[in-house]
Each structure stands twice: as structure tokens, then as C-alpha cells.
Amino acid sequence: MKNIIEVKGLRKKFGLETVIKDVTFHVKQGEIFGLLGPSGSGKTTIIKILTGELAKTAGEVSVLDFSSKEFRTSYFRSNIGILSDNSALYERLTVNDNLKLFCKLYNTPIDRINGMLREVQLEETREKVVSKLSKGMKQRILLAKALIHKPDLIFLDEPTSALDPASADHIHKGLQKLNEEGTTIFLTTHNMEEATL
Ligand SMILES: Nc1ncnc2c1ncn2[C@@H]1O[C@H](COP(=O)(O)OP(=O)(O)O)[C@@H](O)[C@H]1O
Ligand SMILES: [Mg+2]
């Protein structure tokens, strides 16, 4: 399988502080790649660089054959999915209305919503207001949101870090199924067990 992500000699400085020091790795198409490291080791920074949210200081980065210069284009963004701390839902809207908005944003047919909710096993929440859902349920809806446009590659920044074991298990099962269907998964974690998903 070909490399879907290539990172060579990546470096990132914030002011005078170098937080990423010459990191090199690649991710093959179809892989589940777990980036394991303690808090503060630069995992979120790496995801932000790979998704165009932050500029690198030095090194070479390509994702899905796009060079880092192209990461801010909407075409690149329509090919990836992101679940991070910055991902959010409109608390006062229903799950359905939230997902409908994201379908519009990504030019995705809204008839995908049902199937997507089935994937995360939350079909029954479709007409519920988001503020009434548990944290674990919200995270699964965020996963559905990150996947609604069927990206080939998804980035997940500590997707289960604040969840109870049962909710984490739901997320892991969803990710494994997704991967079996061909989606490449890049996830960060500080949890050894999750790294061996
Ligand atoms: N925007 C920023 N400005 C300055 N320093 C930052 C910024 N973002 C992250 N850092 C620093 O970079 C280091 C790595 O952070 P981060 O990528 O969030 O690590 P992790 O996700 O592994 O916990 C930390 O020391 C953090 O304080
Ligand atoms: Mg982080």
C-alpha cells in the first residue's frame, strides 16, 4: 500500500522553544496509526500541522499527495476528517440539525445522516437536543460529524481521553469497523492500550 502521510525531519518552534524535533514517520493507506506520547510531547501540534491548522518550522510533510502549502484549501479539507478538542456541536440544536449543517458545509447528501448515526449506534438520538446527551454520546456524534463526508483519512486527537470505558469501547469498535471499510486512521493517545487498537 502506498504512503498516505509522509513526514520527514519535521520541526516546530513556538518562539524560541522547539517542541517538535526532527520527527520522521509515514502512514500507509488502510493503516490505523497511533501516535503515542505523554502530555506536552507535541501530539496535538503534529495533528494541527498535518491538517493545515499550524505551519511547520522545517521539514517535509505531505498528506494524501497534497503538500503542506495546499493544506488550507477546501479541496484538501473535503478529503480528511478531524476529531479534536476544537470539534464542537451546537448544543441547542438537535443531533439531526447539527449533522444537516455539516452536510451542507461539506456538500454531502443529508440522506447519509441515518446511516452515519447507525455506525456510531446512536440512531435513537436523532431528534434529541445535543445539550441533553452524555459526554460519551456527544463524542460519538462528533465522530459521526467528522465522517459524514466519507473522508479517506481521519485524524483523531485523543478521541477517548475523557470518556468512561464503555464509551471508549463504542468509539474503538466504530473505528475498527471504519478501518475495515478502508478508511485510514491517524490517532494520538497517551494510553498504551489505545495505541495497540
Ligand atoms: N500555540 C502554542 N504556542 C506556544 N506553545 C505551544 C502552543 N501549542 C502548544 N505549545 C507547546 O508545545 C508543546 C506540545 O504541546 P501539544 O502539541 O499540545 O502536546 P500534546 O498534544 O502531546 O499534549 C507543549 O509544551 C505546549 O505548551
Ligand atoms: Mg494534545
Side-chain angles (χ1 to χ4, degrees):
M1 284 290 197
K2 66 177 208 137
N3 289 345
I4 211 165
I5 299 178
E6 289 199 56
V7 174
K8 275 186 213 144
L10 176 64
R11 198 174 313 152
K12 177 66 184 173
K13 280 183 167 183
F14 288 114
L16 292 175
E17 195 193 0
T18 304
V19 299
I20 312 284
K21 295 184 186 102
D22 297 316
V23 170
T24 297
F25 64 86
H26 62 260
V27 179
K28 288 196 184 313
Q29 191 167 10
E31 217 178 334
I32 298 182
F33 183 93
L35 186 65
L36 176 70
S39 175
S41 59
K43 302 178 299 295
T44 297
T45 302
I46 288 178
I47 285 215
K48 285 186 175 170
I49 292 169
L50 294 178
T51 57
E53 232 186 281
L54 272 179
K56 61 184 162 58
T57 303
E60 283 169 48
V61 180
S62 78
V63 176
L64 291 167
D65 290 330
F66 290 83
S67 72
S68 53
K69 275 187 235 129
E70 301 165 300
F71 288 178
R72 298 195 76 88
T73 63
S74 56
Y75 185 62
F76 172 73
R77 301 196 146 257
S78 69
N79 279 281
I80 61 166
I82 306 172
L83 174 59
S84 73
D85 280 353
N86 292 336
S87 305
L89 298 165
Y90 295 98
E91 291 276 327
R92 285 193 281 180
L93 299 184
T94 62
V95 168
N96 189 49
D97 285 343
N98 266 278
L99 293 177
K100 254 163 80 180
L101 277 175
F102 298 114
C103 283
K104 272 201 193 132
L105 198 65
Y106 288 120
N107 257 322
T108 292
I110 59 169
D111 59 12
R112 254 190 217 160
I113 292 175
N114 252 343
M116 212 58 248
L117 288 176
R118 203 175 314 127
E119 296 268 337
V120 295
Q121 291 168 24
L122 283 177
E123 276 166 297
E124 75 281 4
T125 66
R126 185 165 175 157
E127 299 306 333
K128 289 207 171 123
V129 174
V130 167
S131 62
K132 303 238 162 97
L133 303 180
S134 71
K135 195 174 174 88
M137 285 169 148
K138 281 184 200 169
Q139 187 72 340
R140 281 149 69 196
I141 300 296
L142 282 171
L143 181 62
K145 171 192 154 186
L147 294 169
I148 198 106
H149 55 305
K150 301 219 157 130
D152 296 326
L153 168 64
I154 177 158
F155 292 92
L156 305 139
D157 193 5
E158 306 213 28
T160 60
S161 65
L163 301 183
D164 60 276
S167 301
D169 197 47
H170 265 297
I171 298 263
H172 291 154
K173 290 213 170 89
L175 292 180
Q176 269 158 354
K177 185 149 174 278
L178 193 70
N179 181 250
E180 280 158 22
E181 290 160 6
T183 311
T184 307
I185 296 172
F186 182 101
L187 68 85
T188 69
T189 181
H190 61 260
N191 174 345
M192 272 296 255
E193 233 176 277
E194 188 161 77
T196 58
L197 186 72

